[in-house]
Amino acid sequence: MSDIIIGNKIKLYRNLDGHNFNIKTEDEESKKVYEKIADALNSIGFIEVDLDNISSLKKLEYVEKGKLNSSFLNNDNKGFFTKDNMPDVIVNSIEHIEIKEFSRTKSLDELFEDVYKVESELEEKLNFSFDPKFGYLNSRVLNTGTGLRPLVIMHLPALNYFGIDEISTGLMRLGYTLAPYQAGMGKSSGSVFSLSFESTFGDEEKNYINKLKLITREISDIEMENRKKLYLDNIIVLEDLVNRSYGTLSSARILSEDEMMQSMSNIKLGSELSILKTNKKIDFFDEVMKLRNGHLQLERGAILDIKSRDILRANKSRALMREVF
């Protein structure tokens, strides 16, 4: 991945033919849907995670990593299935089946192959709801057609600084959505945005992947131009922004998650533009994840109150700054 592209994600939605969508499903029918899909997944080597009997911390880990939504954990007849080196499969969430994979290293093309490999294996054992005119049917109109939801996660601090609304509006007219990226806990990270399609209806799956790659390159080019503009025309403002953030991360005794994410975004930009000189190369996205609420509690092995989390985060942030700078 580049300094701008943080990672790629693909979701693929399917529903079983002959069954109501989840928004209309009664408990008994929902159970039948779960059992059919679970049998099919088990037969191709997927293992179910027993969500009802794992610890609160383990659930927090899945939510923190974006594998599960916290509201999904309260569903009845739900299923979360995994297989080594393969996408995850979620049963009875938004749709009957959700096949999903996120990667910091794999391309959209590689994720596409992974997801459709699982889909093709399941299609041999299950009948998906399909209409010759509309494609794969889903409860949400925007998921109907291909059922494919590719997404690119990007770090766009310069575009965000100069105002990203105009480009977001222009992309919306072309059928794209550029919006603040919400990680597993439902909070948007500093200057991190997701680029996706509003709908994938009316074209072939591979074409959507190619279109998304093309527009990603164009936005990356615009971000780089804005970084140059920020550096050349607003250097004092840029230096102030970066050094204030460095001061926060290197000196704070109490540090909230939101402040940490925004400050890390700023010093990532500062290091890439040589405002700050690093002693060692680090992955800022990984470091942000290590300083988030969920990871701090997982590392401690206990649920922490807000003040304890903020103090612990500040301690770790100061140590990281000493190590890197």
Side-chain angles (χ1 to χ4, degrees), residues 155-165 167 180 189-193 223 226 262 265-266:
H155 185 230
L156 304 173
L159 266 171
N160 197 30
Y161 175 83
F162 287 112
I164 204 166
D165 290 345
I167 191 171
S189 304
S191 296
V192 176
F193 292 83
E223 169 66 18
N226 276 270
Q262 186 57 59
S265 172
N266 291 339

Side-chain angles (χ1 to χ4, degrees), residues 252-257 293 296 305-315:
R253 264 49 184 176
I254 297 176
L255 184 62
S256 71
E257 186 176 75
N293 290 333
L296 293 175
D305 59 52
I306 294 175
K307 184 177 181 181
S308 297
R309 294 197 301 259
D310 289 351
I311 292 173
L312 178 58
R313 181 171 19 254
N315 291 340

Side-chain angles (χ1 to χ4, degrees), residues 212-254:
L212 192 59
K213 289 192 297 183
L214 178 61
I215 202 70
T216 297
R217 287 194 293 271
E218 293 179 0
I219 292 174
S220 295
D221 290 343
I222 296 172
E223 169 66 18
M224 291 306 297
E225 288 301 315
N226 276 270
R227 291 187 185 191
K228 292 177 183 177
K229 179 182 177 182
L230 183 59
Y231 186 89
L232 295 173
D233 299 343
N234 300 273
I235 185 63
I236 298 300
V237 173
L238 176 61
E239 288 179 338
D240 182 71
L241 180 70
V242 171
N243 283 287
R244 280 177 183 271
S245 294
Y246 171 72
T248 296
L249 294 170
S250 62
S251 302
R253 264 49 184 176
I254 297 176

Side-chain angles (χ1 to χ4, degrees), residues 26-39:
E26 299 293 336
D27 187 65
E28 188 60 34
E29 184 177 15
S30 177
K31 184 178 180 181
K32 289 180 180 178
V33 167
Y34 161 78
E35 289 174 345
K36 283 184 179 180
I37 299 171
D39 287 344

Side-chain angles (χ1 to χ4, degrees), residues 55-203:
S55 68
S56 297
L57 283 172
K58 191 64 178 177
K59 291 179 182 178
L60 179 62
E61 180 182 357
Y62 287 133
V63 174
E64 182 85 351
K65 291 181 176 179
K67 288 181 173 291
L68 298 175
N69 186 288
S70 56
S71 61
F72 169 76
L73 293 170
N74 298 320
N75 290 358
D76 293 324
N77 302 311
K78 60 182 177 293
F80 175 49
F81 293 79
T82 65
K83 185 178 179 180
D84 288 345
N85 302 314
M86 295 298 288
D88 297 327
V89 182
I90 297 173
V91 179
N92 283 339
S93 181
I94 298 172
E95 312 293 353
H96 294 159
I97 299 172
E98 178 183 329
I99 307 169
K100 61 189 292 187
E101 185 174 12
F102 166 75
S103 177
R104 301 287 318 285
T105 57
K106 289 184 178 181
S107 67
L108 281 172
D109 292 306
E110 290 171 314
L111 295 184
F112 179 87
E113 295 298 329
D114 288 349
V115 166
Y116 273 91
K117 183 178 187 300
V118 176
E119 192 264 0
S120 63
E121 290 179 343
L122 287 177
E123 194 165 29
E124 292 178 0
K125 302 176 180 301
L126 300 168
N127 293 320
F128 295 143
S129 185
F130 182 84
D131 182 271
K133 182 177 180 181
F134 296 106
Y136 290 98
L137 302 180
N138 288 285
S139 62
R140 296 187 177 184
V141 174
L142 296 180
N143 290 340
T144 295
T146 64
L148 177 71
R149 306 295 292 182
L151 180 148
V152 179
I153 303 165
M154 310 180 74
H155 185 230
L156 304 173
L159 266 171
N160 197 30
Y161 175 83
F162 287 112
I164 204 166
D165 290 345
E166 184 177 347
I167 191 171
S168 295
T169 301
L171 286 168
M172 189 179 300
R173 295 192 187 101
L174 298 174
Y176 297 92
T177 299
L178 182 66
Y181 175 64
Q182 293 189 334
M185 299 301 287
K187 291 184 178 181
S188 58
S189 304
S191 296
V192 176
F193 292 83
S194 62
L195 175 67
S196 60
F197 289 98
E198 184 176 3
S199 170
T200 55
F201 176 79
D203 205 344

